[in-house]
Amino acid sequence: MSGRVDVLIVGAGPAGMSAAIRLRAGGWTVAVVDDRPDPGGQIWRNVEAAAAAGRAAILGPSYASGRDLVARFRASGADYHPSTEVWRIEPGWRVSCRGDEGCRIIQAEHLVLAGGAQERPAPFPGWTLPGVLTVGAAQTLLKSTGDIPAEPVWIAGCGPLPLLYMQQLIAAGGKIAGYLNTAPMHNALRGLRHLPGALAGWRDLAQGAAWIAALRRRRIPTARIRALEAFGAGRLEGIRYVTLTGRTVSAAASVLLVHEGLTPALHMALALGCRVTWDEGQACFVPRVDPWGATDVDRLYLAGDMAGIAGAKAAALSGTIAAIGIDAKLRGLPVDRAEEEAGPFMMARARERAVRPLLDALYRPRPGLFAPPDHTVICRCEEVTAGEIRAASAIAAAGHNAVKGRTRAGMGAC
């Protein structure tokens, strides 16, 4: 099967849905493909079913708010293809897909990638043991099925997501053994210079402060740490961590959830030749895009967290802004007309992004995260350690592809 549309959107999260709604309002033919069985992306995963099952209240008002956008997306008239994988994209935007409907080729005038973010890989000794998961994985289980760990969980890492998940876990009846904050103490000093600009996002700051206060009221054991290790015979049995004062502490554990922030999901953008640049604030590579989300590849746009981590509200706004830019190009309208229409959305997006520099500074990962001990398994599929990768790097001066060829580390999407 094949078809032709004005715009193809890959991803049905906040950005992809918002772009589709605006483009359909302009009368354009739009196809949206997503590998999930329902719209919402990771942030609003399973929001329709969760609301029907009564889980939305547990997951919080920001999660429940996704129902409105999902409903408007479904009513927009976009040609929506859930449970669909994009496996090939050819120049001229001829896109091959495979899903429950079979295989199809979609030809598009413009292509919008809205693939969202991924959790930052954080290898540490013992991270491959059964019982060690990411916070995002645990939250996915809660959103999808309502499942929570039966035993008290240890949570280690930094960023807003662990704080949010702990509120959701408690609301769902779960128990927390302790929270190990891996953010260095000096991050707070680095963040002070960003505080005045972040006040435009005071509601987000107040929400974060409320989460921290709730943990203190519940007397959740908390420690700041600089190193972490998991151990066990065949599965997780305990954890060992080093505090900022240098004290080593061991504790029994059956579930450990880790999180060290989010990074843009760049795989597809990189494959299409998009240029990236190192973002020192977010400690990751981000694509080069203009204010509309346009890349240096003709008729290719990136929207949402795929173009830089900024949260669900900013992602939705960036989807609308990209759609306005594409609409103007398809109609042949002058730039000033598009800028006039997009102005309020760009101002709103700037307000949503205002808090990001402060959050990036407060939750910048500890330096040790990027330099794990030699015995740490980095590639769990091939069981390649950090020491083996370092040894190969010293020999293979040709670059990372040579290291991959020598060690077979990092061959897959993981």
Short mmCIF file of all heavy atoms in Angstrom, two decimals, residues 122-133 228-240 256 258 372-373 375-378 380:
data_model
loop_
_atom_site.label_atom_id
_atom_site.label_comp_id
_atom_site.label_asym_id
_atom_site.label_seq_id
_atom_site.Cartn_x
_atom_site.Cartn_y
_atom_site.Cartn_z
N ALA A 122 23.35 5.26 31.68
CA ALA A 122 24.12 5.47 32.90
C ALA A 122 24.70 4.16 33.41
O ALA A 122 24.28 3.65 34.45
CB ALA A 122 23.25 6.12 33.96
N PRO A 123 25.69 3.58 32.70
CA PRO A 123 26.29 2.33 33.18
C PRO A 123 27.06 2.54 34.49
O PRO A 123 27.74 3.55 34.66
CB PRO A 123 27.25 1.94 32.04
CG PRO A 123 26.81 2.73 30.85
CD PRO A 123 26.26 4.00 31.41
N PHE A 124 26.91 1.60 35.41
CA PHE A 124 27.69 1.59 36.64
C PHE A 124 27.84 0.13 37.05
O PHE A 124 27.11 -0.75 36.55
CB PHE A 124 26.99 2.42 37.73
CG PHE A 124 25.62 1.93 38.10
CD1 PHE A 124 25.43 1.02 39.13
CD2 PHE A 124 24.51 2.36 37.39
CE1 PHE A 124 24.17 0.56 39.46
CE2 PHE A 124 23.23 1.90 37.72
CZ PHE A 124 23.08 0.99 38.76
N PRO A 125 28.78 -0.20 37.91
CA PRO A 125 28.98 -1.60 38.29
C PRO A 125 27.70 -2.24 38.81
O PRO A 125 27.08 -1.74 39.75
CB PRO A 125 30.05 -1.52 39.39
CG PRO A 125 30.82 -0.28 39.07
CD PRO A 125 29.80 0.69 38.55
N GLY A 126 27.26 -3.31 38.16
CA GLY A 126 26.07 -4.03 38.59
C GLY A 126 24.78 -3.60 37.92
O GLY A 126 23.72 -4.15 38.22
N TRP A 127 24.84 -2.65 36.99
CA TRP A 127 23.60 -2.13 36.40
C TRP A 127 22.87 -3.14 35.53
O TRP A 127 21.68 -2.97 35.24
CB TRP A 127 23.88 -0.86 35.60
CG TRP A 127 24.59 -1.09 34.29
CD1 TRP A 127 25.91 -1.37 34.14
CD2 TRP A 127 24.04 -1.02 32.98
NE1 TRP A 127 26.22 -1.50 32.80
CE2 TRP A 127 25.08 -1.29 32.08
CE3 TRP A 127 22.76 -0.75 32.47
CZ2 TRP A 127 24.90 -1.31 30.70
CZ3 TRP A 127 22.58 -0.78 31.10
CH2 TRP A 127 23.63 -1.04 30.22
N THR A 128 23.55 -4.23 35.13
CA THR A 128 22.91 -5.23 34.28
C THR A 128 22.18 -6.31 35.08
O THR A 128 21.56 -7.20 34.49
CB THR A 128 23.96 -5.90 33.37
OG1 THR A 128 24.96 -6.54 34.19
CG2 THR A 128 24.65 -4.88 32.48
N LEU A 129 22.24 -6.26 36.40
CA LEU A 129 21.57 -7.28 37.21
C LEU A 129 20.05 -7.17 37.11
O LEU A 129 19.50 -6.05 37.09
CB LEU A 129 21.96 -7.13 38.69
CG LEU A 129 23.36 -7.60 39.10
CD1 LEU A 129 23.65 -7.15 40.53
CD2 LEU A 129 23.46 -9.12 39.00
N PRO A 130 19.34 -8.30 37.05
CA PRO A 130 17.87 -8.25 37.16
C PRO A 130 17.47 -7.58 38.47
O PRO A 130 18.03 -7.88 39.52
CB PRO A 130 17.48 -9.73 37.14
CG PRO A 130 18.59 -10.42 36.42
CD PRO A 130 19.83 -9.67 36.81
N GLY A 131 16.53 -6.68 38.39
CA GLY A 131 16.14 -5.91 39.56
C GLY A 131 16.58 -4.46 39.47
O GLY A 131 16.12 -3.63 40.24
N VAL A 132 17.48 -4.17 38.51
CA VAL A 132 17.92 -2.79 38.26
C VAL A 132 17.21 -2.30 37.00
O VAL A 132 17.35 -2.90 35.93
CB VAL A 132 19.44 -2.69 38.09
CG1 VAL A 132 19.85 -1.23 37.86
CG2 VAL A 132 20.16 -3.26 39.31
N LEU A 133 16.42 -1.26 37.12
CA LEU A 133 15.70 -0.67 36.00
C LEU A 133 15.91 0.84 36.03
O LEU A 133 16.44 1.39 36.98
CB LEU A 133 14.20 -0.97 36.08
CG LEU A 133 13.70 -2.40 36.04
CD1 LEU A 133 13.68 -3.00 37.43
CD2 LEU A 133 12.28 -2.43 35.46
N LEU A 228 28.08 4.68 42.96
CA LEU A 228 27.03 3.69 43.22
C LEU A 228 27.43 2.36 42.61
O LEU A 228 28.03 2.31 41.53
CB LEU A 228 25.72 4.17 42.60
CG LEU A 228 24.51 3.21 42.66
CD1 LEU A 228 24.07 2.99 44.10
CD2 LEU A 228 23.37 3.77 41.81
N GLU A 229 27.09 1.29 43.30
CA GLU A 229 27.35 -0.06 42.80
C GLU A 229 26.19 -0.96 43.23
O GLU A 229 25.66 -0.83 44.34
CB GLU A 229 28.67 -0.59 43.37
CG GLU A 229 29.02 -1.99 42.91
CD GLU A 229 30.34 -2.48 43.48
OE1 GLU A 229 31.00 -1.69 44.21
OE2 GLU A 229 30.71 -3.64 43.23
N ALA A 230 25.79 -1.87 42.34
CA ALA A 230 24.78 -2.88 42.67
C ALA A 230 25.45 -4.24 42.67
O ALA A 230 26.37 -4.49 41.88
CB ALA A 230 23.66 -2.85 41.64
N PHE A 231 25.01 -5.14 43.56
CA PHE A 231 25.63 -6.46 43.61
C PHE A 231 24.58 -7.52 43.90
O PHE A 231 23.48 -7.23 44.40
CB PHE A 231 26.76 -6.50 44.65
CG PHE A 231 26.33 -6.17 46.05
CD1 PHE A 231 25.82 -7.15 46.90
CD2 PHE A 231 26.43 -4.87 46.54
CE1 PHE A 231 25.43 -6.85 48.19
CE2 PHE A 231 26.04 -4.55 47.84
CZ PHE A 231 25.54 -5.55 48.67
N GLY A 232 24.94 -8.76 43.57
CA GLY A 232 24.05 -9.89 43.81
C GLY A 232 24.48 -11.08 42.98
O GLY A 232 25.24 -10.95 42.01
N ALA A 233 24.01 -12.25 43.36
CA ALA A 233 24.31 -13.49 42.65
C ALA A 233 23.15 -13.84 41.74
O ALA A 233 22.16 -14.44 42.17
CB ALA A 233 24.57 -14.62 43.64
N GLY A 234 23.22 -13.42 40.50
CA GLY A 234 22.16 -13.71 39.54
C GLY A 234 21.06 -12.70 39.49
O GLY A 234 20.34 -12.61 38.50
N ARG A 235 20.88 -11.90 40.56
CA ARG A 235 19.92 -10.81 40.56
C ARG A 235 20.32 -9.83 41.66
O ARG A 235 21.21 -10.11 42.47
CB ARG A 235 18.49 -11.31 40.79
CG ARG A 235 18.21 -11.90 42.16
CD ARG A 235 16.72 -11.85 42.46
NE ARG A 235 16.26 -10.46 42.67
CZ ARG A 235 15.48 -9.79 41.84
NH1 ARG A 235 15.02 -10.35 40.74
NH2 ARG A 235 15.13 -8.55 42.11
N LEU A 236 19.70 -8.68 41.66
CA LEU A 236 20.03 -7.64 42.63
C LEU A 236 19.74 -8.11 44.06
O LEU A 236 18.64 -8.58 44.36
CB LEU A 236 19.24 -6.37 42.34
CG LEU A 236 19.45 -5.21 43.31
CD1 LEU A 236 20.87 -4.67 43.22
CD2 LEU A 236 18.42 -4.10 43.06
N GLU A 237 20.76 -8.00 44.92
CA GLU A 237 20.59 -8.33 46.33
C GLU A 237 20.93 -7.16 47.24
O GLU A 237 20.49 -7.11 48.39
CB GLU A 237 21.46 -9.54 46.70
CG GLU A 237 21.06 -10.82 45.97
CD GLU A 237 22.02 -11.96 46.25
OE1 GLU A 237 23.05 -11.72 46.92
OE2 GLU A 237 21.74 -13.09 45.81
N GLY A 238 21.73 -6.23 46.73
CA GLY A 238 22.10 -5.09 47.56
C GLY A 238 22.76 -4.00 46.75
O GLY A 238 23.10 -4.17 45.57
N ILE A 239 22.94 -2.86 47.38
CA ILE A 239 23.63 -1.73 46.76
C ILE A 239 24.72 -1.23 47.69
O ILE A 239 24.68 -1.45 48.90
CB ILE A 239 22.65 -0.58 46.43
CG1 ILE A 239 21.96 -0.08 47.72
CG2 ILE A 239 21.63 -1.02 45.40
CD1 ILE A 239 21.13 1.17 47.50
N ARG A 240 25.71 -0.59 47.11
CA ARG A 240 26.80 0.01 47.86
C ARG A 240 27.03 1.40 47.27
O ARG A 240 27.15 1.56 46.06
CB ARG A 240 28.06 -0.85 47.74
CG ARG A 240 29.22 -0.42 48.64
CD ARG A 240 30.39 -1.39 48.49
NE ARG A 240 30.04 -2.74 48.93
CZ ARG A 240 29.93 -3.79 48.12
NH1 ARG A 240 30.13 -3.63 46.82
NH2 ARG A 240 29.62 -4.98 48.60
N LEU A 256 16.17 -1.53 42.30
CA LEU A 256 16.89 -0.25 42.22
C LEU A 256 16.49 0.43 40.93
O LEU A 256 16.63 -0.14 39.85
CB LEU A 256 18.40 -0.47 42.24
CG LEU A 256 19.28 0.76 41.94
CD1 LEU A 256 19.08 1.85 43.00
CD2 LEU A 256 20.75 0.36 41.83
N VAL A 258 17.11 3.78 38.52
CA VAL A 258 18.12 4.81 38.28
C VAL A 258 17.65 5.77 37.19
O VAL A 258 16.90 5.39 36.29
CB VAL A 258 19.48 4.19 37.90
CG1 VAL A 258 20.04 3.37 39.05
CG2 VAL A 258 19.36 3.32 36.66
N PRO A 372 33.07 5.64 34.01
CA PRO A 372 32.86 4.50 34.92
C PRO A 372 34.13 3.68 35.08
O PRO A 372 35.01 3.71 34.22
CB PRO A 372 31.77 3.69 34.21
CG PRO A 372 31.89 4.07 32.77
CD PRO A 372 32.33 5.50 32.76
N PRO A 373 34.26 2.93 36.18
CA PRO A 373 35.44 2.08 36.40
C PRO A 373 35.63 1.07 35.27
O PRO A 373 34.67 0.69 34.59
CB PRO A 373 35.12 1.37 37.72
CG PRO A 373 34.10 2.23 38.39
CD PRO A 373 33.30 2.86 37.30
N HIS A 375 35.98 -2.07 35.15
CA HIS A 375 35.27 -3.34 35.18
C HIS A 375 33.77 -3.19 34.91
O HIS A 375 33.04 -4.19 34.86
CB HIS A 375 35.47 -4.04 36.53
CG HIS A 375 34.87 -3.29 37.69
ND1 HIS A 375 35.48 -2.21 38.28
CD2 HIS A 375 33.71 -3.48 38.37
CE1 HIS A 375 34.74 -1.77 39.27
NE2 HIS A 375 33.65 -2.53 39.35
N THR A 376 33.29 -1.96 34.68
CA THR A 376 31.87 -1.74 34.41
C THR A 376 31.51 -2.24 33.01
O THR A 376 32.16 -1.88 32.03
CB THR A 376 31.53 -0.25 34.51
OG1 THR A 376 31.96 0.26 35.77
CG2 THR A 376 30.04 -0.02 34.34
N VAL A 377 30.48 -3.04 32.92
CA VAL A 377 29.98 -3.47 31.61
C VAL A 377 29.29 -2.28 30.95
O VAL A 377 28.38 -1.67 31.53
CB VAL A 377 28.99 -4.64 31.74
CG1 VAL A 377 28.32 -4.95 30.40
CG2 VAL A 377 29.70 -5.87 32.27
N ILE A 378 29.73 -1.93 29.75
CA ILE A 378 29.12 -0.83 29.00
C ILE A 378 28.12 -1.37 27.99
O ILE A 378 26.98 -0.91 27.92
CB ILE A 378 30.19 0.01 28.28
CG1 ILE A 378 31.18 0.59 29.30
CG2 ILE A 378 29.53 1.13 27.47
CD1 ILE A 378 30.56 1.52 30.31
N ARG A 380 25.96 -4.38 27.25
CA ARG A 380 25.49 -5.58 27.93
C ARG A 380 25.24 -6.73 26.94
O ARG A 380 25.30 -7.89 27.32
CB ARG A 380 24.24 -5.29 28.74
CG ARG A 380 23.02 -4.88 27.95
CD ARG A 380 21.92 -4.34 28.86
NE ARG A 380 21.61 -5.22 29.95
CZ ARG A 380 20.91 -4.87 31.04
NH1 ARG A 380 20.47 -3.63 31.15
NH2 ARG A 380 20.64 -5.74 31.99
#
